Amino acid sequence: MDRNNLYVKLNQKNGIEGEEDNGIITLLVSAFLILSFLPTYLPNFSQKFGWYGGLVCIIFASLLTVKQYDFMLYTYEVVCYLLILFVFFLSIEYNNNVNISSVFQYLRYILAAIVLGRTQLNRKIVRNCYYLFCIYFLFNMVLRVDPTTLCYGGVSRNIISIHLICILIIYIIILYREKKMYNAILPSLICLLICIWTGCRSGILSTIFIIYGVLLYGINIDKKRKIILFIFIVMLGLGGVYFMVANKSKLAYLLYHLSGKENIKNNPRWVYLTEYFCNIKNSILDMMFGGRLKMVSSAGFGTNNFNLHNSFVMGHAKMGIGFIVFICFEIVRKSVLYSKKNKVFLFLLLAIIIRSFSDGVAFNGLYDILYYLFLIEIPLMQYKKTY
């Protein structure tokens, strides 16, 4: 089959008409996400089962994608993924910050990004998956449960916003392709509400960027009305702080963290980052291939799973400077592309970047799916006229 016919078939299959055909793939992708999230909220749920179960789901989803479409990898795509894998191996060999099994996690995220980029998922299934988590968190919010008590495995309450924003962005991509962006307003507002409840500043800011992109560039209404609606929503969300806290102590905690008044030099995250950069500045090899995380001796770093709380710095530690240069170059390049052709996706990408700066959620982490999707898969398919 020649390329022109391939692109036509991709267009036809990725349209709304293919939604029912992709129900099984959507269920598998949803199961992959749910199995990845459940160990955080269920203390007795096996993390290994979630990891391997998710891997099996995404492999089957990939096989079904191959079956339904004239599936092929393009040269640019192959080069990008092999380049990332190559520098990943080099860094593992040099600093042992992650073990070799992490390569399978990397491949798992690549498969998820490819499936999401190639197929039009069933909107209702993804929506129900998203609302399932939202209902659980809203229920606990109404009961005035401390969000910290909902998270297990040594993770903080901030992971709630990480998970919700991930599913929300996937859902908005589906809505964009189906031209039903009005349906993105309510889930975005709910996400903002839950982020405020958890007190996650980067989560709140990321969600505001998502709402901004949806209202100003995703919905066809008068620009002035969009701005007024956006301001109203932001004020409504911030005002909700005063109605969602259980008592004065929680209000004080939330306002303290939202205000950013804590001394940054005493913040453990700042201490970890400072020590990491001090350790690598005198070693050219550490700068090239990533510094050894175990050399960071600050109190609590080991118990925090050696997390520097910045995805880009973690990416340097795990994959080296070459990977970071590549990712930053692609972010700038694709941001320019989206600013010209798709401003909704530009704001979704900015939301992902903002969330990545305060937690180790990418490189190698859950948001790798979103980065590979926005930096490699969507631009490729957009060029092939499937978006």
Side-chain angles (χ1 to χ4, degrees):
M1 177 181 293
D2 63 25
R3 288 195 173 187
N4 289 332
N5 290 333
L6 171 62
Y7 304 154
V8 170
K9 189 165 185 179
L10 279 170
N11 267 306
Q12 292 173 343
K13 282 291 186 177
N14 283 349
I16 301 173
E17 297 83 3
E19 184 175 346
E20 292 183 0
D21 296 335
N22 294 330
I24 296 177
I25 295 178
T26 309
L27 286 173
L28 288 169
V29 172
S30 300
F32 164 74
L33 292 172
I34 291 172
L35 289 171
S36 299
F37 297 169
L38 281 183
T40 300
Y41 308 110
L42 299 177
N44 296 322
F45 191 88
S46 171
Q47 189 170 6
K48 286 187 177 180
F49 177 79
W51 198 95
Y52 288 109
L55 178 62
V56 170
C57 288
I58 206 62
I59 289 175
F60 273 107
S62 304
L63 293 175
L64 288 175
T65 302
V66 172
K67 183 179 179 181
Q68 288 196 25
Y69 304 101
D70 288 315
F71 184 88
M72 63 178 291
L73 294 177
Y74 301 94
T75 303
Y76 171 75
E77 194 176 17
V78 172
V79 169
C80 287
Y81 291 138
L82 288 180
L83 175 64
I84 295 171
L85 188 61
F86 176 69
V87 296
F88 198 11
F89 274 120
L90 286 180
S91 291
I92 291 175
E93 184 66 24
Y94 174 71
N95 55 35
N96 292 314
N97 283 333
V98 292
N99 53 45
I100 198 69
S101 64
S102 296
V103 174
F104 292 101
Q105 186 168 338
Y106 162 75
L107 295 174
R108 187 172 72 148
Y109 294 143
I110 286 180
L111 289 177
I114 291 174
V115 171
L116 290 171
R118 293 295 202 279
T119 63
Q120 170 63 15
L121 299 185
N122 186 296
R123 169 174 45 86
K124 294 180 180 179
I125 295 176
V126 176
R127 179 195 63 194
N128 293 340
C129 177
Y130 177 75
Y131 281 131
L132 178 67
F133 282 97
C134 287
I135 290 171
Y136 173 71
F137 295 129
L138 290 172
F139 178 75
N140 283 279
M141 186 175 72
V142 171
L143 294 180
R144 298 181 177 182
V145 175
D146 185 343
T148 303
T149 63
L150 301 178
C151 305
Y152 299 91
V155 297
S156 72
R157 62 175 71 193
N158 293 336
I159 200 168
I160 294 174
S161 69
I162 293 171
H163 290 165
L164 283 185
I165 290 172
C166 180
I167 306 178
L168 175 62
I169 289 176
I170 293 172
Y171 181 53
I172 291 175
I173 293 173
I174 297 170
L175 293 175
Y176 178 85
R177 295 176 75 174
E178 294 188 3
K179 299 181 180 180
K180 296 181 178 179
M181 289 294 288
Y182 279 97
N183 293 334
I185 297 176
L186 179 60
S188 299
L189 288 175
I190 293 174
C191 186
L192 177 62
L193 192 70
I194 294 173
C195 287
I196 294 173
W197 171 60
T198 62
C200 179
R201 290 168 293 184
S202 59
I204 294 170
L205 186 58
S206 295
T207 310
I208 289 175
F209 265 77
I210 292 173
I211 294 173
Y212 187 90
V214 168
L215 289 179
L216 292 191
Y217 301 106
I219 300 174
N220 294 321
I221 59 175
D222 181 74
K223 189 172 183 179
K224 290 183 179 179
R225 292 181 181 179
K226 289 181 181 181
I227 295 174
I228 293 172
L229 183 59
F230 172 73
I231 294 173
F232 170 75
I233 289 172
V234 172
M235 295 302 295
L236 182 65
L238 295 178
V241 171
Y242 294 95
F243 299 96
M244 291 183 293
V245 291
N247 50 52
K248 291 182 179 180
S249 62
K250 286 188 177 180
L251 176 61
Y253 169 84
L254 188 60
L255 294 179
Y256 175 74
H257 281 274
L258 289 177
S259 65
K261 290 181 178 179
E262 68 269 33
N263 189 340
I264 190 171
K265 292 184 179 180
N266 295 329
N267 189 308
R269 299 184 181 194
W270 179 260
V271 174
Y272 301 155
L273 289 172
T274 301
E275 185 174 351
Y276 176 79
F277 284 116
C278 287
N279 289 342
I280 69 172
K281 68 180 182 181
N282 295 321
S283 170
I284 188 66
L285 290 178
D286 281 357
M287 292 181 69
M288 288 179 60
F289 301 111
R292 293 173 175 83
L293 292 176
K294 292 183 180 179
M295 295 298 290
V296 178
S297 58
S298 299
F301 185 61
T303 57
N304 275 293
N305 298 318
F306 300 99
N307 184 2
L308 292 169
H309 294 281
N310 184 297
S311 294
F312 292 91
V313 182
M314 285 295 292
H316 175 267
K318 293 179 181 180
M319 300 186 188
I321 192 66
F323 171 77
I324 295 302
V325 170
F326 167 75
I327 285 294
C328 290
F329 173 76
E330 286 299 312
I331 287 174
V332 173
R333 187 164 167 252
K334 295 315 187 304
S335 295
V336 172
L337 173 68
Y338 290 139
S339 67
K340 295 177 180 178
K341 294 187 176 181
N342 193 327
K343 288 185 172 61
V344 174
F345 285 2
L346 172 64
F347 279 88
L348 294 182
L349 178 58
L350 290 175
I352 297 166
I353 294 170
I354 290 169
R355 194 63 194 87
S356 301
F357 263 98
S358 62
D359 276 298
V361 297
F363 321 132
N364 181 25
L366 176 67
Y367 277 27
D368 284 4
I369 300 172
L370 301 179
Y371 276 106
Y372 299 149
L373 186 60
F374 279 95
L375 299 183
I376 300 175
E377 297 300 328
I378 287 179
L380 184 63
M381 293 296 103
Q382 194 171 47
Y383 176 73
K384 309 306 179 188
K385 308 300 183 184
T386 59
Y387 273 80

